Amino acid sequence: MFSKKKWFVGLFAAVAMVGAGFVTSSIVEPNGASQVVKADSAINNYIANNGIQPVSIQYRTGTFDQQFPYENGVGKPEGVVIHETADPGATAENEVTFFNREWKNIQSYVHAFVDDTEIINISSADYGVWGCGPYGNAKFIQVEVCEVGTTDQFARSMANQAYYTAYRLVQYGLPDIPGETVISHHQVSQKFGGTDHVDPDGYFAKWGYDMNQFNDLVAKYYNQLKNDGGATNSTPGTNNNGGVSGSEGSVTVKNPNSYAVPLVAFQNDGTTKRSNRGLANNSGWYTDQQKSYNGHTYYRVSTNEWVEDTYSTFAGY
């Protein structure tokens, strides 16, 4: 976590008050209603009982230009650090805008931001960024979850955060080991030093949640991804077909015949289907995979949304 309000020390005072041994937590919704949530599994049960599914990962090219190889080399992270933004009400879009504008001033950047409706990846996970001190930065992919206002939003954001974490573990061939390959910023502070932050403990505790429950959710998606063929899947349980390579970089897109650049999704039978979304002309996008189909190269800009080489120019990192 880098908080734009980090000088508000009350956040960390609150962490000390909640403790780790609670059984229930009373949550007050924005409308004033109180809801009691068990600490054992209420949020994860809510996700399962309501059929909540993670959203697709969006890949964008951020402004951070100080990426560096991990201590084990390029493309060799050791796990994923879990952060929270300490910025109530700010969405993933808000945080992406802020960090892309201000990282030089705040000296902080992460790979991705997550809220209840979006997962936005803004820096190549093959390289380290500035989010959890020099020791953690050299080892881990880093993702921040945004502070939301309702139980439903929190549950959806946890599904998205856990899915992104599991996806990266599977992508890089890492085991799912709580406290080692899935590690909070607080655990980084305790285990490696170089940082003193304690997120996301206080924010999770507000919702009767903790890293143990989060790890259970990561394990669920991790096992689904492993069983369904790995991290090239668009969502858990949906397979993409072969012909995929892992070259990371950026694509600049342009459609001379329209105001938008078309996107396609690959179906289970290997064919493409036109997406109902498009990209703005002359915009740049992060891409982490390429696929060949019918004599064209397609670049992935979201979990299962691809832009054809007819409309794009690729630049590798």
Side-chain angles (χ1 to χ4, degrees), residues 241-263:
N241 287 279
V244 175
S245 65
S247 298
E248 295 199 45
S250 63
V251 287
T252 302
V253 299
K254 183 176 182 180
N255 182 0
N257 301 314
S258 175
Y259 67 90
V261 176
L263 293 169

Side-chain angles (χ1 to χ4, degrees), residues 1 79-85 109-115 118-121 129 131-132 140-146 157 160-166 168 182-185 199-200 204 214:
M1 171 194 68
V80 182
V81 173
I82 308 304
H83 297 268
E84 66 94 359
T85 61
Y109 207 78
V110 295
H111 293 95
F113 288 94
V114 170
D115 61 20
E118 292 187 296
I119 305 171
I120 307 176
N121 193 100
V129 291
C132 61
F140 299 112
I141 299 166
Q142 303 186 53
V143 55
E144 297 238 17
V145 67
C146 298
S157 68
N160 292 337
Q161 178 96 330
Y163 175 68
Y164 179 86
T165 302
R168 288 307 194 190
V182 181
I183 186 169
S184 70
H185 195 170
D199 58 302
F204 277 14
F214 179 77

Side-chain angles (χ1 to χ4, degrees), residues 275-303:
S275 172
N276 61 3
R277 301 198 303 172
L279 304 178
N281 272 320
N282 301 308
S283 60
W285 296 83
Y286 167 77
T287 179
D288 72 334
Q289 291 185 14
Q290 301 174 16
K291 181 188 280 284
S292 298
Y293 176 71
N294 279 355
H296 288 280
T297 299
Y298 289 80
Y299 301 98
R300 189 171 79 156
V301 294
S302 183
T303 302

Side-chain angles (χ1 to χ4, degrees), residues 54-78:
V55 300
S56 297
I57 302 171
Q58 301 175 47
Y59 295 93
R60 304 183 189 174
T61 301
T63 61
F64 187 68
D65 61 6
Q66 299 296 310
Q67 293 92 342
F68 51 89
Y70 296 107
E71 62 185 14
N72 289 334
V74 174
K76 295 183 178 180
E78 298 174 41

Side-chain angles (χ1 to χ4, degrees), residues 4-22:
K4 299 189 283 293
K5 304 178 180 66
K6 67 178 182 179
W7 50 88
F8 289 176
V9 296
L11 172 69
F12 299 111
V15 172
M17 293 172 62
V18 294
F22 54 82

Side-chain angles (χ1 to χ4, degrees), residues 165-227:
T165 302
Y167 180 93
R168 288 307 194 190
L169 294 179
V170 175
Q171 179 186 21
Y172 288 99
L174 295 168
D176 174 18
I177 305 175
E180 294 187 21
T181 61
V182 181
I183 186 169
S184 70
H185 195 170
H186 191 188
Q187 289 169 321
V188 171
S189 298
Q190 294 174 320
K191 189 171 184 177
F192 300 105
T195 177
D196 60 1
H197 290 200
V198 297
D199 58 302
D201 293 4
Y203 176 60
F204 277 14
K206 172 185 174 183
W207 302 100
Y209 207 64
D210 61 25
M211 281 298 295
N212 292 327
Q213 296 164 58
F214 179 77
N215 286 322
D216 289 342
L217 194 56
V218 171
K220 170 186 173 181
Y221 297 130
Y222 182 85
N223 291 331
Q224 287 179 354
L225 285 167
K226 295 282 281 189
N227 292 336

